Amino acid sequence: MRIQFCGADRTVTGSSHLLEINGLRIFLDMGLYQGSRDQANRINAWFPADVASADAIVLSHGHLDHCGKIPVATRAGFKGPIYCTPATAEVARVVLNDSAAIQLENIEYLNRRSQEPSLQPLYAPKDIPPALALMRKIPYGQKTDLGKGVNVTLLDAGHILGSAFVLIEWTESGASRSLLFTGDIGRYSTPILRDPQPIPHPVDYLITESTYGNAKHAPMEQVGPQLLDAVKFCLARKSRLLLPSFAVGRTQAVLWYIQKFIEDKQIPELPIFVDSPMGVEISRIHSEFRENYDQPTLQAIGSRDLFGLSRVTFASTTTDSKRINTQTGACAIIASSPTCEFGRILHHLAMSVENPNDLVVFTGFIPAETLGRRLQNGQKRVRILDRWYDVKCQIRTIHGLSAHADADELLRFLQPTLGKQTSSFIVHGEVDQSEGFAHRLISAGIGRAAVPATETSVIDDPGVAKSLGSAAAEVGE
């Protein structure tokens, strides 16, 4: 068995790992790297090997940084099955179509304003149907035979609708082996979705995310008051509240809170805009997959409008999006993407960034070397599309709204496999978060912890493992 690390290694974007087991080549995720434009274009065009010969992709969930490179793979000749949950297949369909449309929209805009050679998108809308046709929907908990003695089971990760952690089991040289890939693990006791499902048994190998692996979120009970204060700030100033957000998961959580504030009469009704072509479809998908909701949510809503959608204006077209910026008075605008590297949020930021009364609220982690991170870090002058702006607006972050578990929650989730039998590989985190979590895992009793770099490999061979040295020494590899 061999693991090759192909993305989201020492960074938080572009999730992808290649397993070679019993002659099968299986990708875990095929995510789009999100960062500076030139770097993203280079990384997203790269594959670690002949992707056309891969046997399968197992998709943990439908966020762009986990599924967004699938059309690049199919354009390169990949024709194998893509295994995912039914809800993830629907979410990925919307996300990939939106990604293709946004790429075309931004490329056309930049090409109109540039004297450089014409830019080309990674993929276009016509490339999405062939990718979707390869998806094989498997429900939570169903063990599926991939061939050659290799099985996969998807279990509820509690991160977004349809999200799963992946259990791979196989027999090699007469011995039973197992590997767990977390994908992204959600928080406990959050609104709407179920908590992460317990790990069924210890595993030999663990590939775990570490987005907040060396951090602790504010308690969930602080999220509501922080968001409520942000809304009241804009109501008092008759100004705009911008929320750069994932259209899947985070957007629904924000709408859930605002709906609750209005129902509890903590704030008056205010115009709410979801500026994303996929907004209507994602909301419909949430309604179709109510079996993914936690029990308190199911009991509370009955047949009611969970997200207050009757109060929300969805901007499906570019014209609808432009119309939002003619709105006067207080309003909330939720728009993708959280990195602020692409999408319609850029046009709203251009209008608000120099207004001291407007407020931008980030709802979780933002990858490095992106406009979102520069704003989050307090940079005073930023480039938006093709112009420079002085940052005068208010900037806040509500980390508790993140759909990612923090370090304590990750350790709680991983408890069943925190033993000497498990070798772990810490990915999907910036270096300080990944290395910090590696040390936490070692302290918790795990057998081995390493923080791999992209394009490195690990071979399941006791002699090789022994030669790498102690667990603590591997943290900085």
Side-chain angles (χ1 to χ4, degrees), residues 12 209-216 365 373 406-407 410 426-440 451:
V12 186
E209 70 128 316
S210 57
T211 311
Y212 289 98
N214 200 29
K216 184 174 177 61
F365 180 88
R373 175 65 76 85
D406 65 13
L410 279 172
I426 297 85
V427 299
H428 206 288
E430 292 190 345
V431 174
D432 60 333
Q433 299 296 325
S434 295
E435 293 191 349
F437 192 55
H439 284 291
R440 286 174 183 253
V451 181

Side-chain angles (χ1 to χ4, degrees), residues 178-384:
S178 58
L179 178 146
L180 189 149
F181 170 53
T182 63
D184 289 347
I185 299 301
R187 301 197 64 192
Y188 291 87
S189 303
T190 57
I192 307 172
L193 296 180
R194 294 186 297 250
D195 287 351
Q197 196 169 343
I199 295 173
H201 57 73
V203 297
D204 299 301
Y205 289 94
L206 167 68
I207 303 174
T208 178
E209 70 128 316
S210 57
T211 311
Y212 289 98
N214 200 29
K216 184 174 177 61
H217 291 316
M220 283 302 303
E221 55 267 23
Q222 292 183 15
V223 171
Q226 289 176 332
L227 184 57
L228 178 61
D229 184 70
V231 177
K232 287 183 173 179
F233 175 94
C234 292
L235 284 168
R237 290 161 180 77
K238 297 183 173 58
S239 62
R240 295 167 20 126
L241 171 61
L242 302 188
L243 296 124
S245 179
F246 287 113
V248 185
R250 210 74 52 87
T251 289
Q252 284 71 41
V254 170
L255 291 175
W256 184 89
Y257 276 107
I258 295 177
Q259 163 81 340
K260 190 173 186 299
F261 300 154
I262 294 171
E263 286 190 349
D264 293 347
K265 302 192 183 305
Q266 293 176 287
I267 59 170
E269 292 194 25
L270 79 162
I272 305 165
F273 300 94
V274 173
D275 192 6
S276 167
M278 60 174 138
V280 174
E281 284 202 79
I282 290 296
S283 300
R284 177 186 60 77
I285 291 168
H286 273 75
S287 298
E288 286 183 2
F289 288 92
R290 290 191 175 205
E291 67 271 17
N292 288 263
Y293 294 174
D294 60 23
Q295 201 56 39
T297 299
L298 289 171
Q299 292 173 349
I301 64 172
S303 60
R304 288 191 306 112
D305 179 2
L306 177 61
F307 306 119
L309 300 182
S310 58
R311 298 187 176 99
V312 177
T313 300
F314 290 96
S316 297
T317 67
T318 304
T319 302
D320 294 336
S321 179
K322 290 177 179 177
R323 193 175 295 124
I324 294 172
N325 286 334
T326 65
Q327 173 75 30
T328 58
C331 67
I333 303 170
I334 307 169
S336 58
S337 79
T339 64
C340 302
E341 280 296 310
F342 59 89
R344 296 177 180 178
I345 189 63
L346 292 170
H347 301 281
H348 301 302
L349 279 172
M351 183 171 177
S352 287
V353 73
E354 293 187 333
N355 186 338
N357 288 320
D358 285 0
L359 172 60
V360 179
V361 173
F362 292 100
T363 58
F365 180 88
I366 310 297
E369 299 183 16
T370 63
L371 173 58
R373 175 65 76 85
R374 289 191 282 275
L375 290 168
Q376 202 174 43
N377 287 346
Q379 189 167 312
K380 297 301 182 184
R381 188 167 173 80
V382 296
R383 185 183 177 95
I384 302 174

Side-chain angles (χ1 to χ4, degrees), residues 21-22 24 26 55-58 80-84 136-139 141-154 166-171:
I21 305 174
N22 293 351
L24 291 181
I26 305 161
D55 295 284
I57 296 171
V58 180
I82 301 169
Y83 296 99
C84 61
R136 303 291 180 265
K137 304 171 188 177
I138 54 176
Q142 175 181 297
K143 184 177 287 190
T144 300
D145 183 7
L146 302 184
K148 299 186 179 181
V150 182
N151 296 300
V152 62
T153 306
L154 303 179
V166 179
L167 179 63
I168 304 282
E169 297 170 295
W170 71 99
T171 301

Side-chain angles (χ1 to χ4, degrees), residues 351-463:
M351 183 171 177
S352 287
V353 73
E354 293 187 333
N355 186 338
N357 288 320
D358 285 0
L359 172 60
V360 179
V361 173
F362 292 100
T363 58
F365 180 88
I366 310 297
E369 299 183 16
T370 63
L371 173 58
R373 175 65 76 85
R374 289 191 282 275
L375 290 168
Q376 202 174 43
N377 287 346
Q379 189 167 312
K380 297 301 182 184
R381 188 167 173 80
V382 296
R383 185 183 177 95
I384 302 174
L385 291 169
D386 57 345
R387 280 190 53 199
W388 288 91
Y389 294 83
D390 294 319
V391 180
K392 299 177 183 177
C393 66
Q394 306 294 308
I395 307 286
R396 299 183 190 178
T397 300
I398 303 177
H399 282 294
L401 262 172
S402 173
H404 286 269
D406 65 13
D408 292 343
E409 290 167 322
L410 279 172
L411 286 175
R412 173 182 170 181
F413 169 72
L414 294 172
Q415 187 62 47
T417 197
L418 296 180
K420 295 299 182 186
Q421 79 287 337
T422 302
S423 294
S424 61
F425 304 96
I426 297 85
V427 299
H428 206 288
E430 292 190 345
V431 174
D432 60 333
Q433 299 296 325
S434 295
E435 293 191 349
F437 192 55
H439 284 291
R440 286 174 183 253
L441 286 172
I442 292 165
S443 297
I446 209 159
R448 177 173 175 247
V451 181
T454 299
E455 298 188 64
T456 58
S457 298
V458 171
I459 297 172
D460 179 17
D461 181 293

